[in-house]
Amino acid sequence: MQHCENKYINKKKQIALSLSRPSWCIPRTSILAKSSHKIFRIKRFLVRKQKQNHPIPQWIRMVTGNKIGYNSKRRHWRKTKLCL
């Protein structure tokens, strides 16, 4: 799991939360990301990440002669979180 630093939680709260559950489990702004009423900055961020998460087109494999075979920056929704 990728660990995300949250700048807005002070150290004491961070230590108290880390004792009770794993650091990747702490809800930060996930409410904003999952809610139906998103602010525009969050929505734009999510759209950009969704666009980046596609496989490469087949014509790129043809042009490069299979030197570029896959998208190395592919992200799985469960394995790697976005750190909102």
Side-chain angles (χ1 to χ4, degrees), residues 14-47:
Q14 213 169 15
I15 291 169
L17 287 172
S18 67
L19 294 175
S20 61
R21 53 185 139 158
S23 59
W24 54 266
C25 232
I26 300 170
R28 292 183 175 91
T29 56
S30 60
I31 296 168
L32 288 174
K34 292 178 187 173
S35 67
S36 59
H37 298 290
K38 295 172 184 60
I39 59 175
F40 183 69
R41 285 182 63 189
I42 298 285
K43 190 167 184 177
R44 191 174 53 193
F45 176 81
L46 291 172
V47 167

Side-chain angles (χ1 to χ4, degrees), residues 48-58 60-61 67-76:
R48 181 167 184 235
K49 290 296 179 184
Q50 191 175 17
K51 283 181 182 177
Q52 287 176 349
N53 200 29
H54 285 286
I56 63 164
Q58 289 300 314
I60 290 180
R61 293 182 79 175
K67 297 220 177 193
I68 301 173
Y70 63 96
N71 182 2
S72 60
K73 295 183 179 179
R74 217 55 213 273
R75 175 187 49 83
H76 190 265

